[in-house]
Amino acid sequence: MLRIWGRITSINVRKAVWTAQELGLAFERIDAGGAFGVTKTPEYIAMNPNSVVPTLVDGDFTLWESNVIVRYLCAKHSMGNMYPTDLKERFNAERWMDWQQTTFSPSGRDAFWQLIRVPEPERDMKKVEASITGTEILLDRFEAHLSTTEYVAGDKITMADVPMACEIHRWFGLNLPSKQRPYIEAWYAKMHARPGSKNVLTLPLA
């Protein structure tokens, strides 16, 4: 049985869960992290020395890092589709996955943490404002990209759409004032409508 360790409220766990669902894989998700604990136990650290979620266990193989888990599952179960075989197509998808993790996610993180995870009296609104300013620039960049392509990495869904849609889900869930971006909104509506995104993009932030 494929196992995904991690609480579903984590954006990174949601990436892994959606990918498994998108591929029609049977799996068990085990709550870990946050209020569930588990990640500091010796048993968990033996699987994932970073003591974070998610962790994927596939038979005798254990893997951590959310976008790597997405890549692995797509390469194993959807070679040539979710995982492109053409090198240019593959690395086009790869760069957007890295952009999500190294650029987009860090930009929006403070707004998410302050508005969702930090109690209102303790919020640092300067951090929120800076996060919004930076993310709005990146949203414009992503909107411009989607004006030229139907999906993140071409004319069909690939592994790149999963982390990007999870990130947009988190940002949209903050319900912040923002200008309309019709290409992002149309693409996200398609992602939200996919059966594999059920209980991922359909869940509120927490």
Side-chain angles (χ1 to χ4, degrees):
M1 171 68 74
L2 190 72
R3 291 183 172 86
I4 299 171
W5 289 79
R7 55 189 171 79
I8 197 61
T9 52
S10 161
I11 183 177
N12 292 322
V13 174
R14 291 182 187 198
K15 296 176 194 175
V17 168
W18 180 6
T19 302
Q21 293 179 165
E22 187 74 27
L23 298 172
L25 305 178
F27 69 95
E28 176 187 12
R29 185 184 62 79
I30 304 165
D31 281 321
F36 297 100
V38 178
T39 59
K40 302 297 184 183
T41 64
E43 294 79 10
Y44 190 87
I45 291 172
M47 295 190 296
N48 186 336
N50 301 296
S51 188
V52 296
V53 293
T55 298
L56 178 81
V57 180
D58 185 11
D60 61 356
F61 182 57
T62 301
L63 194 62
W64 36 265
E65 288 297 326
S66 60
N67 282 6
V68 174
I69 290 171
V70 172
R71 292 179 175 103
Y72 169 77
L73 292 176
C74 288
K76 182 175 181 179
H77 299 282
S78 190
M79 181 65 71
N81 293 302
M82 292 284 286
Y83 190 87
T85 49
D86 178 84
L87 278 182
K88 291 180 180 179
E89 293 177 5
R90 182 188 306 170
F91 282 97
N92 184 29
E94 293 272 10
R95 70 171 157 192
W96 284 103
M97 295 178 76
D98 282 3
W99 188 76
Q100 177 272 322
Q101 202 156 45
T102 65
T103 303
F104 197 3
S105 185
S107 179
R109 187 175 295 127
D110 275 346
F112 168 75
W113 273 95
Q114 294 297 320
L115 296 175
I116 301 298
R117 298 277 174 84
V118 174
E120 186 171 358
E122 301 173 22
R123 290 175 185 167
D124 185 338
M125 295 311 294
K126 288 185 177 179
K127 287 185 177 181
V128 174
E129 291 166 8
S131 183
I132 292 171
T133 298
T135 303
E136 285 289 315
I137 294 169
L138 300 180
L139 287 168
D140 284 341
R141 197 170 298 167
F142 189 42
E143 173 76 359
H145 171 67
L146 287 179
S147 73
T148 68
T149 183
E150 186 174 357
Y151 293 92
V152 171
D155 60 2
K156 65 180 182 179
I157 187 173
T158 66
M159 59 186 179
D161 291 279
V162 171
M164 283 303 303
C166 287
E167 196 67 57
I168 292 294
H169 168 262
R170 184 165 77 166
W171 190 256
F172 281 1
L174 298 178
N175 293 316
L176 296 167
S178 185
K179 66 183 180 182
Q180 288 191 323
R181 293 182 175 88
Y183 291 104
I184 291 179
E185 291 164 8
W187 163 81
Y188 183 71
K190 287 185 292 188
M191 297 298 100
H192 197 278
R194 296 189 71 85
S197 73
K198 184 179 180 182
N199 295 324
V200 177
L201 298 186
T202 55
L203 295 178
L205 302 184

